[in-house]
């Protein structure tokens, strides 16, 4: 599909009441690479964890990883229909899919994600920390302590706990990939709590790359710009959804499928000397 064939704003009013949202009601439907991604064995024999793997970027990465030869544990909150659909695509590619629902703000669940993956696959080669929470607020006064803490505990606290548990099982050549955001460098004032966590993720990843280098474990970030996922209609007001993605030079949101390539590359052995990097997938908005 060429750039001119991808959906552009304006989009219809399609608010969803519950975060992180569902894929089925979205119009247009996100493209996760179901019909387009072609694997070439770049992750053959590897085992991966993807948090937030039920939909959006997580689903696109799960499909790509499976078609590249990896087994995948899909960790998600409670979006069971979406998670089962992702698992179906993984299994259709001939790989094993493990579904594990639960709240990553619970430290015990963070440990369970890793232990379950090791139990099911016998190894852990790739950790994709992708799950995130956001909500739009027009002013600081509208953000409660509970909301601030929930955003940080979901986006960076859980990342720390899952990573700490995963490193115990990772061997040289393993890869950790954290989803940050263009908001790490260009914070959206309406997403101030979310943006602050994304800056923290980028900093955490840079430190992690240095800390784990002697173990032969790499850590990198992917920084998406506006991507068309269920998080958008479930966390943004109608006027923002209608014009979503128009602010970047390409004048449209990215599709989840357009994120798969950097996640595959960073997980592969071809990226053996890449650690501490941030790869921007932002529709032309620079991160410098």
């Amino acid at each position: 599909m060429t750039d001119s064939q991808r959906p552009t704003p304006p989009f219809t009013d399609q608010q969803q009441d519950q975060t992180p949202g569902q894929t089925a009601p979205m119009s247009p439907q996100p493209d996760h690479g179901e019909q387009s991604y072609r694997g070439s064995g770049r992750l053959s024999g590897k085992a991966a964890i993807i948090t937030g793997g039920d939909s959006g970027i997580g689903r696109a990465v799960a499909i790509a990883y499976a078609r590249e030869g990896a087994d995948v544990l899909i960790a998600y909150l409670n979006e069971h229909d979406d998670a089962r659909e992702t698992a179906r695509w993984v299994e259709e590619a001939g790989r094993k899919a493990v579904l594990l629902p639960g709240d990553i703000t619970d430290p015990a669940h963070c440990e369970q994600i890793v232990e379950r993956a090791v139990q099911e696959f016998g190894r852990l080669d790739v950790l994709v920390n992708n799950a995130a929470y956001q909500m739009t607020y027009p002013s600081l006064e509208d953000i409660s302590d509970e909301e601030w803490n929930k955003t940080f505990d979901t986006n960076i606290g859980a990342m720390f706990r899952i990573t700490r548990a995963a490193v115990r099982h990772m061997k040289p050549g393993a890869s950790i990939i954290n989803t940050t955001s263009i908001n790490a460098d260009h914070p959206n004032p309406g997403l101030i709590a979310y943006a602050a966590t994304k800056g923290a993720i980028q900093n955490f990843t840079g430190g992690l790359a240095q800390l784990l280098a002697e173990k032969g474990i790499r850590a990198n970030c992917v920084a998406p710009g506006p991507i068309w996922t269920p998080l958008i209609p479930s966390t943004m007001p109608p006027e923002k959804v209608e014009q979503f993605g128009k602010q970047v030079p390409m004048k449209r949101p990215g599709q989840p499928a357009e994120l798969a390539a950097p996640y595959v590359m960073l997980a592969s052995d071809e990226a053996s000397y890449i650690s501490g990097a941030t790869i921007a997938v932002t529709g032309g908005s620079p991160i410098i």
Side-chain angles (χ1 to χ4, degrees):
M1 184 182 293
T2 65
D3 185 71
S4 63
Q5 294 173 312
R6 297 187 185 278
T8 59
F11 300 115
T12 59
D13 182 5
Q14 51 187 292
Q15 297 312 109
Q16 297 187 31
D17 295 333
Q18 184 177 0
T19 182
Q22 304 286 327
T23 303
M26 295 182 69
S27 178
Q29 282 284 286
D31 175 13
H32 308 95
E34 292 96 335
Q35 308 305 324
S36 60
Y37 192 90
R38 300 290 181 267
S40 56
R42 296 170 72 187
L43 304 180
S44 181
K46 293 186 184 291
I49 292 170
I50 303 173
T51 68
D54 56 289
S55 63
I57 295 169
R59 179 182 292 182
V61 174
I63 290 171
Y65 277 15
R67 292 181 183 176
E68 294 289 356
D71 295 325
V72 182
L73 183 141
I74 299 158
Y76 66 102
L77 181 59
N78 56 16
E79 311 86 346
H80 303 297
D81 289 344
D82 272 348
R84 283 191 288 265
E85 178 67 4
T86 302
R88 183 178 73 81
W89 286 106
V90 170
E91 290 166 351
E92 190 172 289
R95 306 311 305 177
K96 185 174 183 178
V98 177
L99 296 179
L100 186 59
D103 187 350
I104 58 173
T105 65
D106 176 3
H109 183 63
C110 293
E111 294 277 347
Q112 184 186 11
I113 290 170
V114 174
E115 294 304 320
R116 179 73 181 277
V118 174
Q119 175 188 339
E120 294 280 353
F121 306 140
R123 59 188 294 162
L124 179 58
D125 304 287
V126 184
L127 169 62
V128 178
N129 285 306
N130 172 69
Y133 171 78
Q134 70 173 34
M135 194 59 69
T136 305
Y137 290 97
S139 71
L140 282 178
E141 288 75 16
D142 294 323
I143 305 173
S144 66
D145 287 349
E146 180 183 22
E147 178 72 9
W148 183 268
N149 292 337
K150 177 180 179 179
T151 307
F152 268 79
D153 210 19
T154 303
N155 295 2
I156 184 68
M159 183 176 292
F160 160 69
R161 291 187 290 268
I162 295 169
T163 300
R164 181 178 59 186
V167 166
R168 301 182 197 127
H169 301 278
M170 288 180 146
K171 300 188 182 307
S175 175
I176 298 166
I177 307 167
N178 298 325
T179 303
T180 180
S181 169
I182 192 172
N183 278 278
D185 288 78
H186 301 282
N188 181 337
L191 294 170
I192 193 166
Y194 171 85
T197 66
K198 292 301 180 174
I201 288 168
Q202 197 170 31
N203 193 286
F204 172 69
T205 306
L208 199 62
Q210 298 171 73
L211 195 63
L212 299 179
E214 288 187 359
K215 295 179 181 291
I217 300 171
R218 297 178 292 107
N220 294 285
C221 287
V222 176
I227 307 299
W228 188 240
T229 76
L231 201 62
I232 305 312
S234 66
T235 64
M236 290 187 172
E239 63 274 15
K240 296 289 187 182
V241 175
E242 181 184 8
Q243 298 300 323
F244 185 70
K246 192 174 182 179
Q247 73 273 25
V248 302
M250 288 188 180
K251 305 298 183 187
R252 65 169 179 87
Q255 292 296 317
E258 296 179 279
L259 274 293
Y263 284 90
V264 169
M265 184 272 289
L266 291 172
S268 74
D269 295 338
E270 298 161 13
S272 57
Y273 200 59
I274 302 175
S275 196
T278 297
I279 296 180
V281 189
T282 58
S285 292
I287 294 180
I288 298 174

